[in-house]
Amino acid sequence: MELRKAGRAGIAGTDDDAYREALDMFLSRTDEKVTTHAYLRRVVDRLPARRTFLDIGAAQGTTTRYLAPYFERVVCVEPSEPMRRALARACPRAEVVAEPVGEARVDARADLALLSHVLYYIPRTQWAATTARVMEWVAPGGVLVVLLQDPDNACMRMVRHFTGRRFDVRELVGELATLPPGLVGRTELDAVPARYHGRDLEETLRVADFLLSVPGAPPPAREAVEAYVRRHFGNEDGTYTIRHDQHVLRIERPAS
């Protein structure tokens, strides 16, 4: 898989097979799914009901497949066609909506809704409106879980260095009071650790390309990314480590 063109870092958009392949490479060398799944299992254990799970931005369906056995019905929103192909293989019984979250029509009232690493692709000014839209799909007493990387972790410091972008789900917390009455009850913000461990420089550079694929940001020069990766992520044994801890915002919809 070649992710760079003309001496530049970066990969294609989420509707491209190269993006899915890069995501798979990243996930194969990080403990993110292990730590996230353990957290989500604890959330599931506390739910008052487990009728419907709604996975928004389900990607290739790894988390969908993990959580599906706990629910009677699974609904996914995934606009990327290559991701939908992988999702169908991972969780064949999932009902899939192909439109982006802002255009999707979801006929469901979810006991658990998951918005995992989707807000990067939504303009900051639309975060609150997007959250309100999703909360309309959450059943009374249900929970929406929003995941986004900690903006001060090593990965996001790299993103900010090369793109100037900062994504902080804590900013959304203060806007929840502006949402329509009856949508938002108790909220909690947690942290879930995650670490990518690359075996060599080339593999880590390909993952860095993926992590730097911020919508609307021009890809940085390969030489600059390589210098940054060597300086900030290199280990004495020739491997590379990137911390990418996550912030998790849990939003409960009032039971009545």
Side-chain angles (χ1 to χ4, degrees):
M1 176 182 61
E2 180 56 53
L3 301 184
R4 301 184 190 86
K5 297 180 181 179
R8 307 283 290 180
I11 64 174
T14 58
D15 59 348
D16 192 281
D17 283 307
Y19 183 94
R20 182 185 59 78
E21 293 168 4
L23 174 60
D24 289 342
M25 176 180 290
F26 168 67
L27 291 177
S28 71
R29 302 296 297 171
T30 178
D31 62 0
E32 176 184 306
K33 290 302 182 184
V34 173
T35 58
T36 302
H37 288 176
Y39 177 91
L40 291 173
R41 175 60 193 275
R42 293 192 294 272
V43 173
V44 169
D45 286 344
R46 294 194 295 267
L47 291 174
R50 301 179 191 174
R51 293 163 300 221
T52 301
F53 169 48
L54 173 60
D55 194 351
I56 300 165
Q60 77 283 64
T62 304
T63 298
T64 316
R65 179 177 57 199
Y66 173 76
L67 291 177
Y70 301 106
F71 295 86
E72 299 171 14
R73 182 186 179 198
V74 178
V75 180
C76 297
V77 175
E78 179 48 64
S80 166
E81 197 275 333
M83 293 294 187
R84 290 197 301 274
R85 294 198 304 266
L87 173 60
R89 293 191 294 268
C91 190
R93 75 180 180 95
E95 305 167 35
V96 181
V97 178
E99 290 75 27
V101 61
E103 304 169 15
R105 295 184 178 183
V106 176
D107 180 19
R109 290 295 177 267
D111 300 292
L112 174 63
L114 179 62
L115 192 68
S116 179
H117 299 286
V118 172
L119 293 181
Y120 309 117
Y121 306 98
I122 296 174
R124 174 64 187 84
T125 56
Q126 297 178 21
W127 281 13
T130 299
T131 302
R133 182 175 179 81
V134 175
M135 289 303 295
E136 293 281 1
W137 301 330
V138 175
V143 177
L144 168 63
V145 175
V146 183
L147 284 92
L148 212 61
Q149 286 201 41
D150 178 343
D152 298 314
N153 68 28
C155 173
M156 297 310 285
R157 287 198 298 270
M158 176 180 69
V159 170
R160 189 159 61 251
H161 174 81
F162 285 107
T163 71
R165 306 292 180 84
R166 179 182 174 86
F167 305 89
D168 192 343
V169 77
R170 292 172 296 190
E171 297 175 356
L172 176 61
V173 176
E175 299 177 1
L176 295 178
T178 67
L179 301 191
L183 289 184
V184 175
R186 190 163 65 101
T187 65
E188 289 191 21
L189 184 69
D190 294 322
V192 175
R195 182 182 68 170
Y196 167 83
H197 189 71
R199 292 170 295 188
D200 54 47
L201 178 62
E202 182 59 27
E203 177 184 271
T204 306
L205 284 174
R206 291 185 175 188
V207 167
D209 288 350
F210 164 73
L211 296 170
L212 288 168
S213 296
V214 176
R222 174 190 175 119
E223 294 78 8
V225 176
E226 181 173 335
Y228 190 98
V229 167
R230 287 181 180 275
R231 178 178 180 183
H232 294 279
F233 305 141
N235 302 316
E236 291 184 358
D237 62 357
T239 63
Y240 294 81
T241 301
I242 305 176
R243 291 300 301 260
H244 57 103
D245 299 351
Q246 304 168 91
H247 279 161
V248 187
L249 175 61
R250 291 201 323 275
I251 307 171
E252 296 182 4
R253 182 163 182 174
S256 59

